[in-house]
């Protein structure tokens, strides 16, 4: 069971997400002096560099949890030049201790400890770095350092000699604002530094390396924006080490680590089993059937990379969104349209090449669905082959548990549907922000019989909403897909009118988990 759960988690490491690049390089840095940063570690897979890290004790290295997807097998210590590696500088990794609440980098908790096969001999070439205090406070605009063997330009290659750059700390409020402008809500317990109002920062190849402030490892390199290292753009994001000191201490105290390569989660997985399964499914941000985006705009190419055009032989009929490498979520009422395939990895559905098409192997409509007015308007589409996740295609996180959205919460809905009542579907994906409507108000406004487990947003007291052609698309709030486009009133998209209605995804998490689990067993 643990093996299958771990495999399931790994499949979602790139979820949620979204469009942020994992890994990092040092941009506009310089060669690190040989007698400094003696704690630096090159985390490797089959003797090739994949991530950075830093030594905190004789037998433990800290790195980023998302580096687990690279299946690190060894670390190199005691040299700044990766061409000068021998048995004395290399240690095998016997355990990977990923934070138990890590799902993907945009959900936070992006930290991992690597247990080494044998202790490091501390000398004038290798020394551990001190961790911060629990009450660590870093001054805005304070100067820190980041180092690594990653790329030195966007699209480049990793380097052999360790590079280091000085980066300024960014005000957390400014950082959240800048990321929110590109529709990403930052997780808790992070530090922002570099990449913003400076040409210096990191990019692919250095994930897991330290942000060093005042001689302590204050942060762990986590992510930047969409593999774009041509700074300035938005701030670089680091995991705040000070928030994980208790967890780190607990791991370091553990005894009897087996030499068999594996994960430290095994000993605590039973208690977290159900929680993690739900979080993976989670952390995966209308009367008329179908919908279009009304009063919206063209969606930026580097956003909403989970969007799916659900099609039949005639072309686009519904929206949908990718929740795993081989499942798309959509509305149950879309089944009537004789669906055959989905298009992924593009915002333009005109002249789509075969590489972006996945045929539908099986449709899992909710067994209690009858029509949109009785609710349960949710369906999972099993794809004939897995989608290849890349910078053009990502899965989206789902809610962690049942949610209760506040009144007037700003969310987004997107699709290729009509842009006016009685119109036609469009080729370019469009997106619009809509506000959540109080459920009581929604029930008072709409005719009697509104189903349970729905969310109301847009269409009421606003010109923004959806209409025919976008059913099944996601309502995205705070970076997670909380709703599925279900219905509006009598195909009338001339808003303001009555509220638009979405299926509340959080109410169906056990059902979703069961379908995904059943599919894994049948493979």
């Amino acid at each position: 069971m643990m093996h299958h759960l771990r495999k399931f988690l790994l499949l979602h490491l790139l979820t949620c997400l979204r469009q942020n690049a994992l890994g990092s390089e040092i941009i506009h840095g310089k060669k690190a002096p040989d007698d400094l940063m003696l704690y630096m570690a090159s985390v490797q897979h089959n003797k090739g560099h994949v991530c950075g890290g830093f030594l905190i004790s004789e037998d433990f290295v800290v790195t980023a949890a998302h580096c687990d997807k690279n299946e690190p097998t060894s670390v190199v210590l005691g040299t700044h030049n990766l061409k000068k590696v021998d048995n004395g500088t290399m240690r095998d990794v016997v355990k990977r201790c990923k934070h138990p609440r890590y799902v993907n980098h945009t959900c936070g908790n992006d930290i991992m400890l690597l247990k080494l096969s044998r202790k490091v001999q501390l000398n004038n070439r290798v020394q551990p770095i001190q961790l911060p205090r629990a009450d660590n406070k870093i001054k805005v605009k304070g100067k820190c350092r980041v180092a690594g063997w990653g790329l030195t330009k966007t699209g480049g290659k990793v380097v052999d000699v360790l590079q280091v750059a000085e980066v300024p700390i960014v005000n957390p409020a400014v950082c959240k604002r800048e990321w929110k402008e590109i529709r990403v809500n930052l997780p808790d317990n992070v530090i922002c530094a570099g990449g913003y109002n400076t040409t210096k920062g990191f990019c692919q190849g250095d994930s897991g390396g330290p942000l060093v402030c005042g001689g302590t490892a204050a942060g762990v390199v986590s992510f930047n924006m969409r593999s774009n290292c041509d700074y300035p753009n938005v701030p670089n994001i680091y995991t705040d080490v000070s928030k994980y000191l208790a967890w780190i201490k607990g791991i370091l105290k553990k005894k009897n680590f087996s030499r068999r390569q594996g994960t430290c989660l095994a000993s605590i997985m039973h208690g977290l089993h159900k929680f993690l399964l739900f979080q993976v499914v989670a952390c995966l941000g209308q009367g008329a059937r179908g919908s279009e985006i009304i009063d919206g705009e063209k969606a930026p190419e580097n956003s909403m990379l989970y969007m799916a055009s659900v099609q039949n032989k005639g072309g686009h009929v519904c929206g949908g969104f990718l929740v795993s490498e081989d499942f798309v979520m959509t509305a149950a009422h879309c089944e009537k349209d004789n669906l055959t395939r989905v298009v992924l990895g593009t915002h333009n559905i005109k002249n789509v090449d075969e590489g972006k098409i996945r045929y539908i192997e099986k449709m899992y409509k909710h067994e209690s669905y009858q029509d949109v007015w009785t609710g349960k308007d949710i369906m999972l589409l099993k794809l004939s082959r897995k989608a290849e996740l890349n910078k053009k295609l990502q899965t989206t996180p789902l809610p962690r548990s049942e949610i209760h959205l506040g009144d007037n919460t700003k969310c987004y809905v997107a699709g290729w549907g009509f842009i006016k009542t009685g119109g036609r579907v469009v080729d370019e994906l469009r997106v619009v922000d809509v506000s959540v409507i109080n459920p009581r108000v929604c029930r008072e406004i709409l005719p009697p019989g509104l189903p349970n487990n729905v969310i109301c947003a847009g269409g009421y007291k606003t010109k923004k909403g959806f209409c025919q052609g976008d059913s099944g698309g996601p309502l995205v709030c705070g970076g997670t897909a909380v709703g599925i486009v279900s219905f509006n009133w009598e195909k009338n998209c001339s808003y303001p009118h009555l509220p638009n209605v979405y299926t509340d995804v959080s109410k169906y998490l056990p059902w979703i988990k069961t379908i995904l689990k059943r599919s894994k067993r049948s493979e």
Side-chain angles (χ1 to χ4, degrees):
M1 178 64 75
M2 296 306 106
H3 171 75
H4 292 304
L5 178 57
R6 179 172 172 272
K7 184 178 178 183
F8 184 70
L9 284 167
L10 286 171
L11 289 176
H12 294 76
L13 285 171
L14 297 178
T15 305
C16 297
L17 152 53
R18 298 280 311 207
Q19 53 276 34
N20 313 315
L22 301 180
S24 61
E25 71 214 18
I26 302 305
I27 303 298
H28 284 273
K30 60 184 179 181
K31 179 183 174 183
D34 287 338
D35 58 347
L36 295 179
M37 309 191 87
L38 304 182
Y39 42 79
M40 287 298 300
S42 168
V43 179
Q44 305 201 344
H45 174 76
N46 292 338
K47 298 184 178 181
H49 175 84
V50 293
C51 278
F54 49 100
L55 189 71
I56 61 167
S57 76
E58 292 173 303
D59 55 351
F60 273 97
V61 165
V62 173
T63 187
H66 74 254
C67 293
D68 187 54
K69 69 183 175 66
N70 295 306
E71 299 186 347
T73 55
S74 62
V75 300
V76 171
L77 295 156
T79 180
H80 286 187
N81 190 332
L82 297 184
K83 282 189 173 181
K84 298 179 179 179
V85 175
D86 54 36
N87 289 335
T89 55
M90 185 171 286
R91 294 291 187 279
D92 291 335
V93 174
V94 295
K95 286 287 181 180
R96 304 196 299 269
C97 305
K98 189 166 56 174
H99 194 280
R101 291 189 180 181
Y102 172 79
V103 177
N104 62 60
H105 62 290
T106 56
C107 292
N109 306 310
D110 192 9
I111 186 170
M112 178 167 65
L113 285 168
L114 303 177
K115 168 69 173 171
L116 307 184
S117 56
R118 54 194 173 96
K119 289 185 177 181
V120 176
Q121 184 176 352
L122 304 181
N123 52 39
N124 63 354
R125 303 292 297 171
V126 185
Q127 289 292 322
I129 186 172
Q130 185 178 350
L131 298 181
R133 295 164 51 116
D135 58 356
N136 189 44
K137 300 292 183 184
I138 308 175
K139 187 177 179 181
V140 173
K141 297 184 180 179
K143 297 295 184 182
C144 301
R145 289 180 296 161
V146 60
W149 290 272
L151 322 182
T152 56
K153 65 178 181 179
T154 303
K157 297 180 179 180
V158 295
V159 296
D160 295 320
V161 179
L162 183 69
Q163 301 284 305
V164 61
E166 188 178 80
V167 291
I169 298 296
V170 180
N171 182 297
V174 172
C175 186
K176 287 183 178 180
R177 181 195 70 206
E178 293 297 317
W179 277 92
K180 196 164 187 178
E181 285 188 6
I182 58 171
R183 295 175 181 160
V184 176
N185 290 315
L186 290 179
D188 295 327
N189 301 338
V190 297
I191 299 170
C192 305
Y196 174 73
N197 284 343
T198 178
T199 57
K200 297 178 181 180
F202 62 66
C203 198
Q204 286 59 48
D206 252 17
S207 281
L211 176 71
V212 181
C213 306
T216 65
V220 183
V221 172
S222 186
F223 62 94
N224 66 354
M225 183 187 75
R226 299 185 288 268
S227 306
N228 185 351
C229 316
D230 298 325
Y231 304 126
N233 49 46
V234 297
N236 291 170
I237 306 301
Y238 300 79
T239 302
D240 185 345
V241 174
S242 72
K243 302 301 191 293
Y244 298 92
L245 295 177
W247 175 76
I248 292 171
K249 186 178 180 181
I251 297 295
L252 295 184
K253 280 185 174 180
K254 284 176 67 69
K255 304 293 184 183
N256 303 320
F257 283 98
S258 165
R259 284 188 61 86
R260 184 178 63 84
Q261 215 285 335
T263 171
C264 295
L265 289 180
S267 63
I268 56 174
M269 189 58 76
H270 180 74
L272 290 168
H273 186 185
K274 185 174 180 181
F275 170 78
L276 282 171
L277 278 174
F278 274 92
Q279 193 162 14
V280 167
V281 174
C283 193
L284 292 176
Q286 276 171 47
R289 296 181 179 181
S291 63
E292 72 215 35
I293 301 307
I294 303 298
D295 206 32
E297 61 185 12
K298 180 181 174 183
E301 287 290 335
N302 52 16
S303 69
M304 310 193 87
L305 305 181
Y306 41 78
M307 287 298 300
S309 168
V310 181
Q311 304 190 350
N312 61 20
K313 292 181 180 180
H316 175 86
V317 291
C318 277
F321 47 104
L322 193 67
V323 296
S324 78
E325 290 176 312
D326 53 355
F327 273 96
V328 164
M329 188 171 291
T330 188
H333 73 254
C334 293
E335 185 197 39
K336 67 179 177 60
D337 292 306
N338 300 316
L339 309 176
T340 58
R341 67 182 195 175
V342 300
V343 172
L344 298 160
T346 180
H347 286 186
N348 190 329
I349 57 174
K350 186 177 182 180
N351 301 322
V352 174
D353 62 66
E354 195 67 21
K356 293 181 173 62
I357 295 171
R358 293 294 185 274
Y359 291 91
I360 298 169
E361 180 177 293
K362 188 171 182 178
M363 291 183 280
Y364 294 87
K365 185 172 64 173
H366 195 284
E367 55 274 11
S368 298
Y369 172 78
Q370 297 177 14
D371 58 56
V372 295
W373 275 99
T374 57
K376 302 176 178 64
D377 192 11
I378 183 172
M379 180 166 63
L380 283 165
L381 305 177
K382 176 75 164 70
L383 307 183
S384 57
R385 57 191 176 95
K386 290 182 177 180
E388 185 176 339
L389 304 182
N390 52 45
K391 64 181 180 180
K392 300 290 289 182
L393 178 62
Q394 294 291 315
T395 54
T396 182
L398 303 181
R400 291 184 175 88
S401 57
E402 270 196 28
I403 60 168
H404 301 282
L405 297 170
D407 298 352
N408 301 313
T409 297
K410 287 291 184 185
C411 303
Y412 297 92
V413 60
W416 290 272
F418 310 165
I419 56 174
K420 64 179 181 179
T421 303
R424 297 181 179 181
V425 295
V426 296
D427 294 325
E428 294 278 355
L429 182 69
R430 299 185 70 82
V431 62
V432 68
D433 63 283
V434 291
S435 298
V436 172
I437 299 166
N438 182 288
R440 180 183 56 79
V441 173
C442 190
R443 290 185 182 279
E444 288 176 355
I445 297 169
L446 285 168
L450 186 69
N452 296 322
N453 301 340
V454 296
I455 299 169
C456 299
Y460 173 67
K461 291 187 177 180
T462 177
K463 294 181 179 179
K464 299 175 180 180
F466 59 64
C467 198
Q468 286 60 47
D470 256 341
S471 281
L475 176 69
V476 180
C477 307
T480 64
V482 302
I484 303 170
V485 171
S486 186
F487 66 93
N488 64 358
W489 183 246
E490 294 184 344
K491 301 185 181 181
N492 185 350
C493 315
S494 302
Y495 305 127
H497 195 243
L498 299 180
N500 291 170
V501 180
Y502 300 77
T503 302
D504 185 344
V505 173
S506 76
K507 303 303 191 294
Y508 298 93
L509 293 177
W511 178 80
I512 295 166
K513 180 194 72 170
T514 299
I515 299 299
L516 296 179
K517 206 172 176 184
R518 185 191 307 165
S519 174
K520 294 295 177 187
R521 284 201 302 264
S522 66
E523 289 181 356

